Amino acid sequence: AQKVTQAQTEISVVEKEDVTLDCVYETRDTTYYLFWYKQPPSGELVFLIRRNSFDEQNEISGRYSWNFQKSTSSFNFTITASQVVDSAVYFCALSDYQTGANNLFFGTGTRLTVIP
Amino acid sequence: GAVVSQHPSWVICKSGTSVKIECRSLDFQATTMFWYRQFPKQSLMLMATSNEGSKATYEQGVEKDKFLINHASLTLSTLTVTSAHPEDSSFYICSARTTGLRQPQHFGDGTRLSIL
């Protein structure tokens, strides 16, 4: 069964601090996709990244970076030099490779508050 | 690109009425659309998956007669909450993806439904 755990329910940081959001997953599939989404107060879900299980290379996009460790079933997300606009709920999600993004299993989310 | 629009953003109505929520893909053809429900401070729960021109596939525990889904065109899906009751109050989010199992889902802005 697919399961995504985001143990951090809420995190508060002061602006310009770095912050890492943890994501641990469980799956019996040997190939799968992992995602991160951002949900700002307005409610819409913003797609941030999709990573397939073949590729364990870390990825950086501006102030965002992702660390995929297959050995520990983790896909952590780091925001460098956080800004107030980063305040949102962040969801980690998992889907199996065969159905692609058809069946997304979401974690419970981590609410990030960046204090000015 | 890949914009999904939901309408209305917020609706308040009396118990017993039916409410229709629209989900439109604005710049791509959405062969598959998904409807999620999100309770306050909780994760997204998939309600149903619909393919254009076909009947929706509902997740276990979701009443198909209560939540009517229509996906009549490649750019529009509707969710009708029939005879709504206060316990149906929630945040409903749709997503859409184009042809190809491994295409990512793009999410709408969500609809906040409040039943009095």
Side-chain angles (χ1 to χ4, degrees), chain B residues 45-116:
Chain B
M45 300 301 295
L46 180 65
M47 298 174 66
T49 303
S50 73
N51 292 299
E52 185 262 338
S54 304
K55 285 185 180 179
T57 301
Y58 289 81
E59 295 298 303
Q60 197 171 10
V62 178
E63 299 173 60
K64 58 183 179 182
D65 295 330
K66 172 78 171 174
F67 299 100
L68 301 178
I69 292 171
N70 183 281
H71 190 171
S73 79
L74 284 171
T75 58
L76 173 65
S77 176
T78 61
L79 166 68
T80 302
V81 183
T82 60
S83 188
H85 291 288
E87 58 266 26
D88 299 322
S89 299
S90 189
F91 191 62
Y92 293 88
I93 306 178
C94 75
S95 70
R97 66 165 179 78
T98 189
T99 305
L101 287 175
R102 299 189 179 88
Q103 294 299 314
Q105 293 183 30
H106 300 280
F107 286 82
D109 296 346
T111 297
R112 193 165 303 282
L113 175 61
S114 298
I115 309 297
L116 304 177

Side-chain angles (χ1 to χ4, degrees), chain A residues 40-53:
Chain A
S42 48
E44 78 275 20
L45 272 176
V46 179
F47 168 78
L48 296 178
I49 189 172
R50 180 180 69 173
R51 170 54 53 84
N52 70 54
S53 55

Side-chain angles (χ1 to χ4, degrees), chain A residues 33 37 39 43-45 50 91 97-102 104 106-108 111, chain B residues 32 34 36 38 41-44 91 93 97 101-105 107-109:
Chain A
Y33 282 111
Y37 286 89
Q39 188 178 41
E44 78 275 20
L45 272 176
R50 180 180 69 173
F91 289 98
Y97 192 78
Q98 290 305 315
T99 62
N102 241 24
L104 277 174
F106 285 88
T108 49
R111 183 176 299 274
Chain B
T32 307
F34 307 83
Y36 293 84
Q38 185 182 25
K41 297 192 176 182
Q42 293 191 27
S43 190
L44 283 77
F91 191 62
I93 306 178
R97 66 165 179 78
L101 287 175
R102 299 189 179 88
Q103 294 299 314
Q105 293 183 30
F107 286 82
D109 296 346

Side-chain angles (χ1 to χ4, degrees), chain B residues 4-24:
Chain B
V4 176
S5 174
Q6 256 183 264
H7 177 81
S9 301
W10 197 351
V11 58
I12 303 172
C13 60
K14 289 183 181 177
S15 185
T17 57
S18 292
V19 179
K20 181 185 281 188
I21 302 170
E22 292 186 349
C23 178
R24 291 181 187 274

